[in-house]
Amino acid sequence: MQGELLRVDQSRSPQEDQRSSTERLRPERLRTDCPVLLSERLVMRAPHEEDIDALAHLANNAKVATMVSRMPHPYTADDAADFVRRTKNGEIGKCVYAITKAENGAFIGCCGVEPQTDCKTVEIGYWLGEPYWNKGYTTEACHALVDMVFRTRQDVDQIDARCRVMNVASRRVIQKCGFQFQGSGLAASLALGSNVPVEWYRLDRKTWMSLRSWGNIA
């Protein structure tokens, strides 16, 4: 689901607890397949401590939090610092990117890749601060993220994406990246404290290869 990137549930499964601390704290290994991504207007790289203030400011917005899954509201500087620390230490176990503007390095949001249980599917998530909406940045970031996955991870056959049914802008981003509707269901929202209706989309490798010229996607 869009934006499942800011805060992981503090509870851990027994399987996660069984992992050794050495395995959990090897960010260099976990980010091996997460190269810095460059696009026309964006640089996507690992979150840094310097992002904390901007992250807390942009994430502390109900319009953002209620459209993603694991973002609490209100969102504090302590939440932002914890997110950056856990990402840096490899504790989140995801390929997480800070989305920044190439012209000045300004932090504007996050995106990332979540492996699924079948090992052939990953799910992408993203969110952008409200001042940067309706400028094409989210689509640009998602194009770069999708291209990275299919070009560097030959074992991945398909990418999933989810959005709230009422999130028209996110749906448009997903469709512009070539994803096809698969179904609908419910997903938990941390900010709302309840389940919300979501739509599920999928992009397979063969379709991506036929759409590699992103300009062909309306």
Side-chain angles (χ1 to χ4, degrees):
M1 184 178 178
Q2 176 189 359
E4 294 186 358
L5 303 170
L6 278 185
R7 181 176 177 179
V8 175
D9 231 342
Q10 296 302 311
S11 61
R12 306 184 65 86
S13 68
Q15 291 79 8
E16 290 174 316
D17 287 333
Q18 289 171 4
R19 291 185 306 168
S20 68
S21 58
T22 301
E23 181 182 1
R24 290 199 301 269
L25 301 177
R26 291 178 62 182
E28 72 284 355
R29 189 190 71 173
L30 291 172
R31 292 199 63 88
T32 297
D33 297 328
C34 304
V36 172
L37 305 180
L38 306 177
S39 64
E40 182 178 356
R41 298 177 296 169
L42 302 174
V43 175
M44 297 157 61
R45 42 81 175 162
H48 298 157
E49 284 78 4
E50 291 79 8
D51 300 324
I52 290 174
D53 288 344
L55 170 57
H57 173 69
L58 294 176
N60 189 32
N61 182 341
K63 295 179 183 179
V64 175
T66 56
M67 291 297 166
V68 301
S69 181
R70 300 180 205 164
M71 185 186 294
H73 184 72
Y75 195 87
T76 68
D78 287 342
D79 289 319
D82 186 61
F83 165 73
V84 171
R85 178 189 62 79
R86 289 167 61 82
T87 302
K88 183 177 181 180
N89 289 343
E91 295 177 25
I92 293 179
K94 302 176 182 178
C95 186
V96 180
Y97 286 100
I99 305 173
T100 67
K101 295 180 67 174
E103 63 182 25
N104 57 13
F107 174 94
I108 65 174
C110 283
C111 64
V113 180
E114 174 74 29
Q116 302 299 291
T117 56
D118 65 1
C119 299
K120 294 184 178 295
T121 306
V122 299
E123 183 167 338
I124 63 169
Y126 51 85
W127 68 270
L128 212 64
E130 186 176 4
Y132 306 101
W133 292 357
N134 302 314
K135 301 179 186 297
Y137 290 131
T138 311
T139 302
E140 187 173 331
C142 286
H143 281 169
L145 196 62
V146 167
D147 285 347
M148 181 277 290
V149 170
F150 280 133
R151 286 172 175 162
T152 66
R153 303 187 180 187
Q154 297 305 313
D155 57 324
V156 173
D157 293 334
Q158 54 208 13
I159 302 174
D160 286 351
R162 302 174 197 270
C163 67
R164 285 193 65 181
V165 170
M166 63 184 294
N167 195 339
V168 176
S170 183
R171 181 187 302 112
R172 183 60 178 156
V173 169
I174 291 169
Q175 292 173 337
K176 287 172 70 175
C177 290
F179 287 74
Q180 300 298 311
F181 179 76
Q182 302 295 310
S184 57
L186 295 174
S189 167
L190 182 59
L192 295 173
S194 63
N195 290 329
V196 295
V198 298
E199 295 177 346
W200 164 38
Y201 293 82
R202 173 167 286 177
L203 176 65
D204 61 60
R205 182 178 290 275
K206 290 182 180 179
T207 302
W208 168 77
M209 291 180 67
S210 70
L211 298 173
R212 288 179 70 179
S213 176
W214 289 115
N216 292 334
I217 303 177

